[in-house]
Amino acid sequence: MPVFKTPFNGYAVRFSPFYENRILVATAQNFGILGNGRLHILDLNPSGGISELRSFDTADGVYDCAWSESHDSLAVAAVADGSLKLWDAALPPSANPIRSLKEHAREVHAVDWNPVRRDSFISASWDDSLKLWTLDRPTSIRTFREHAYCVYSAAWSPRHADVFASASGDCTARVWDVRDPSSSLVIPAHDHEILSCDWNKYDDCFLATASVDKTVRVWDVRASRAPVATLAGHGYAVRRIKFSPHHENLLLSCSYDMTVCVWDYRAEDALLARYDHHTEFAVGVDMSVLVEGLLASTGWDELVYVWQHGTDPRAMP
Amino acid sequence: MSNRAFTEVSGATPPPKPWERAGSSSGPAPFKPPSPGSTSDIVEASGTAKPGEVVSNTGNTTANNSVIARSLPTRPWDQNYGNSYGGYGSNMNYNTGYGSSMYGGSYGGLGGSYGGGLYGNSMYNRGGYGGFNGGSSMYGGMYNSNFGGPMGGYGMGGPYGNQDPNNPYGPTSSPPGFWMSFLRVMQGVVNFFGRISILIDQNTQAFHMFMSALLQLFDRSGMLYGELARFVLRLLGIRTKPKKLAQAGAGQLPGAEGPEQRLLEGPKAASGHSWDSVWGAADAPKGFS
């Protein structure tokens, strides 16, 4: 299946919600510690290769990216200098970035676009805060400050326009309502830092968290005392977790043990598949909303893989 | 900024999500129903909007932190500009000792907890906590050993000790002024060069001691060799006349003995050829004449 070589170390990958063959890849030079970054817009060719449609350079590493849900060519990048940059692939390079929103004091580590109301996005930063942005305002609308350490991830509820979750290095995950002054729910989910969280797409009461303690846990927001499931199997910290858009019980995770795993959290034998195609830390992973079973991953080995679930990512067409 | 209008939400709609066709499977979620309208309007209507709030990288004025039993310690890379400077100014005259007048008559010096020693050195740069009388005095870093002296911690001075970043009741302090940051930078520079010079000094000293020890070793081993050789030669029955040799000179003695003996006994012999008197021979006439 297709492979694309990026010049920098991969950090995040996202399938477009508009085009089934288009992906967005965030990369950062020198493993994201120091140097430039680049945002790639890639197209999967019908012949089986991946070609680059556009790329945007930034002065600092790009840690995360998200497609706009309201405009098919618009994407937002979370940059390590604390800014969020909006890029429009339909405009010439001179007009890009169309916005640069700098309010965070430290690196922005995650960004997520509201899939329900589609007019706003949330950013999570190492300055311990989250910020809510909309396209019709030049500044952020709200700042959410409760976490006691870096916020590593944020995810909008797929069914509720006002609810999102955040995962932080203070070992808690929090659920927020944008209308409430403080968080709705605090889940002390792991004993170590939590790196990622995501909502179940079919049941908006379930939330998954991925942590440095090598496990993925699934939580019910109505009864958050104990996890619904604990998925162990990764050898190192789990970096990113995604619920499948097509199957209620399916989860996709990637980890610093260089593998990408597919899980069924309700099954007895939860680990369905393990892909070890990366030769460095696997840090970015996504599942296509439009094509069932199409997976994408990227990692610090500077490669982007797109493959169908069940096939070998390294197999050439 | 482009001329394209991003303000209207209905620019385009992506294909419906797969999960939007299915209903939620396990009952209603415990959230308030979503409000109609745009996100910015909803947030502004809820009264929680704070547009453009710039986040400084200081401590967390958290309201709902009950889950975390203890606050996390400051990370070493956490510079937390802007909250530990209250004490910095009061720490400037660190030579005044206990109970100086700056504490407004409170017995500050008596109850202070010391930020010196191990903790004064920048790891815990949020200063000390506590102290007996209301935290009114924290002498940071005055009692450091060695060279580290004045670069110790920044005590949490001030009459009420409110600059403690973990104190939720205190007022938030303003960011440091230009001179404060400038002085801090200068302190860092001086500190840096101080460390460099200490490093060089220690290295030079170590090298010197190593070299002198090595030379001494050579010296001693040469003498040992000389003594052993003399002993062996005596066993072989060859008489040596070390004292006479020096006076007699080279030509007098039979072949092998002469130069060897002279070399072996060189350091000891008080002749003009020995190393001991190389400088003495040259200097003595100058010095005494």
Side-chain angles (χ1 to χ4, degrees):
Chain A
M1 289 303 277
V3 180
F4 184 79
K5 177 94 170 66
T6 57
F8 301 151
N9 304 105
Y11 254 85
V13 60
R14 294 262 195 175
F15 279 100
S16 165
F18 291 90
Y19 305 105
E20 58 191 33
N21 61 339
R22 188 159 291 179
I23 56 174
L24 188 67
V25 179
T27 62
Q29 203 173 9
N30 301 322
F31 308 104
I33 297 164
L34 188 73
N36 302 331
R38 191 172 285 181
L39 190 70
H40 298 268
I41 296 179
L42 307 178
D43 269 343
L44 310 176
N45 299 327
S47 58
I50 301 183
S51 61
E52 184 177 272
L53 181 71
R54 299 290 295 274
S55 73
F56 305 110
D57 282 310
T58 59
D60 218 329
V62 186
Y63 284 168
D64 201 8
C65 56
W67 285 101
S68 162
E69 301 275 344
S70 58
H71 298 84
D72 58 353
S73 59
L74 193 64
V76 60
V79 187
D81 62 1
S83 66
L84 289 144
K85 290 185 191 295
L86 281 159
W87 310 88
D88 192 339
L91 292 177
S94 56
N96 273 312
I98 55 170
R99 298 232 178 121
S100 182
L101 308 160
K102 174 114 180 59
E103 283 182 28
H104 282 297
R106 292 182 60 192
E107 289 86 337
V108 188
H109 199 256
V111 64
D112 196 35
W113 203 286
N114 190 334
V116 181
R117 200 178 279 125
R118 301 198 288 266
D119 63 344
S120 58
F121 56 96
I122 189 90
S123 65
S125 164
W126 290 2
D127 63 10
D128 310 357
S129 71
L130 296 121
K131 276 178 181 287
L132 175 66
W133 311 79
T134 54
L135 290 176
D136 56 352
R137 295 284 192 280
T139 59
S140 66
I141 305 179
R142 255 203 85 178
T143 305
F144 303 90
R145 307 185 60 180
E146 269 182 34
H147 281 295
Y149 197 55
C150 302
V151 191
Y152 290 122
S153 173
W156 284 99
S157 167
R159 288 170 174 269
H160 196 298
D162 296 315
V163 172
F164 67 93
S166 66
S168 162
D170 65 6
C171 310
T172 63
R174 287 170 198 250
V175 178
W176 308 76
D177 189 315
V178 296
R179 298 159 296 181
D180 290 343
S182 61
S183 58
S184 321
L185 180 68
V186 183
I187 308 176
H190 294 264
D191 293 333
H192 292 81
E193 293 190 310
I194 308 175
L195 299 182
S196 182
C197 61
D198 197 29
W199 291 90
N200 191 326
K201 305 293 188 291
Y202 287 86
D203 191 337
D204 53 353
C205 296
F206 286 96
L207 181 70
T209 56
S211 163
V212 174
D213 67 8
K214 308 170 194 171
T215 61
V216 172
R217 286 181 180 167
V218 182
W219 302 85
D220 188 336
V221 294
R222 295 161 299 188
S224 59
R225 295 232 171 266
V228 176
T230 299
L231 310 175
H234 276 299
Y236 286 108
V238 187
R239 174 57 192 262
R240 218 177 270 270
I241 184 79
K242 291 267 182 185
F243 266 103
S244 164
H246 296 276
H247 299 280
E248 185 182 343
N249 302 337
L250 220 58
L251 285 152
L252 183 65
S253 68
C254 67
S255 159
Y256 286 122
D257 66 3
M258 308 180 204
T259 62
V260 173
C261 285
V262 182
W263 311 82
D264 182 343
Y265 77 91
R266 287 194 195 277
E268 187 76 27
D269 199 5
L271 182 61
L272 296 182
R274 180 191 290 273
Y275 299 101
D276 56 354
H277 51 287
H278 280 291
T279 55
E280 265 294 345
F281 296 160
V283 290
V285 81
D286 198 19
M287 279 179 152
S288 172
V289 178
L290 302 173
V291 182
E292 189 173 339
L294 191 64
L295 314 178
S297 73
T298 186
W300 285 9
D301 55 4
E302 304 174 348
L303 293 172
V304 181
Y305 290 90
V306 181
W307 76 101
Q308 190 69 29
H309 176 48
T311 63
D312 184 5
R314 277 167 299 201
M316 285 296 159
Chain B
M1 297 280 166
S2 78
N3 295 327
R4 246 181 104 179
F6 286 109
T7 48
E8 79 271 26
V9 174
S10 56
T13 17
K17 303 279 188 282
W19 61 84
E20 285 168 359
R21 295 188 282 267
S24 189
S25 56
S26 75
F31 305 120
K32 289 185 288 184
S35 310
S38 75
T39 302
S40 39
D41 292 340
I42 291 166
V43 173
E44 278 158 12
S46 73
T48 53
K50 273 190 195 168
E53 184 187 351
V54 175
V55 175
S56 63
N57 193 22
T58 57
N60 306 283
T61 51
T62 124
N64 180 16
N65 215 4
S66 55
V67 166
I68 313 160
R70 60 184 176 84
S71 64
L72 288 154
T74 315
R75 298 305 198 270
W77 56 85
D78 218 347
Q79 282 291 322
N80 65 62
Y81 291 108
N83 56 22
S84 67
Y85 287 93
Y88 186 80
S90 58
N91 199 18
M92 292 290 271
N93 50 357
Y94 41 78
N95 284 328
T96 55
Y98 288 108
S100 63
S101 62
M102 59 195 302
Y103 290 106
S106 72
Y107 297 95
L110 295 176
S113 67
Y114 307 111
L118 274 177
Y119 298 99
N121 263 342
S122 82
M123 283 298 274
Y124 301 93
N125 53 6
R126 281 191 180 169
Y129 298 92
F132 295 110
N133 39 14
S136 66
S137 67
M138 299 285 191
Y139 287 79
M142 275 168 282
Y143 306 102
N144 277 336
S145 59
N146 286 343
F147 1 93
M151 66 195 180
Y154 311 114
M156 304 299 297
Y160 302 107
N162 263 342
Q163 285 82 5
D164 189 323
N166 290 341
N167 181 0
Y169 306 107
T172 52
S173 56
S174 57
F178 166 74
W179 282 109
M180 275 304 163
S181 37
F182 176 73
L183 284 174
R184 197 178 155 86
V185 169
M186 288 309 291
Q187 188 203 23
V189 170
V190 170
N191 213 337
F192 173 73
F193 282 107
R195 279 163 191 263
I196 293 279
S197 62
I198 286 163
L199 194 75
I200 292 171
D201 179 66
Q202 298 280 318
N203 254 315
T204 316
Q205 215 169 339
F207 183 70
H208 174 79
M209 285 166 78
F210 171 70
M211 272 312 186
S212 54
L214 202 68
L215 287 175
Q216 212 168 355
L217 180 73
F218 287 162
D219 190 42
R220 294 283 155 181
S221 57
M223 281 165 66
L224 177 69
Y225 182 69
E227 293 295 328
L228 282 176
R230 206 150 59 104
F231 180 66
V232 169
L233 287 175
R234 184 164 293 186
L235 280 185
L236 291 175
I238 306 167
R239 269 196 76 80
T240 57
K241 294 166 188 159
K243 295 293 176 239
K244 260 170 76 180
L245 176 77
Q247 290 146 10
Q252 207 179 2
L253 285 162
E257 215 170 337
E260 192 187 1
Q261 277 301 316
R262 195 135 62 101
L263 282 176
L264 292 175
E265 292 298 317
K268 277 186 173 176
S271 86
H273 292 281
S274 80
W275 290 110
D276 276 348
S277 55
V278 163
W279 304 113
D283 283 344
K286 259 191 232 164
F288 288 107
S289 60

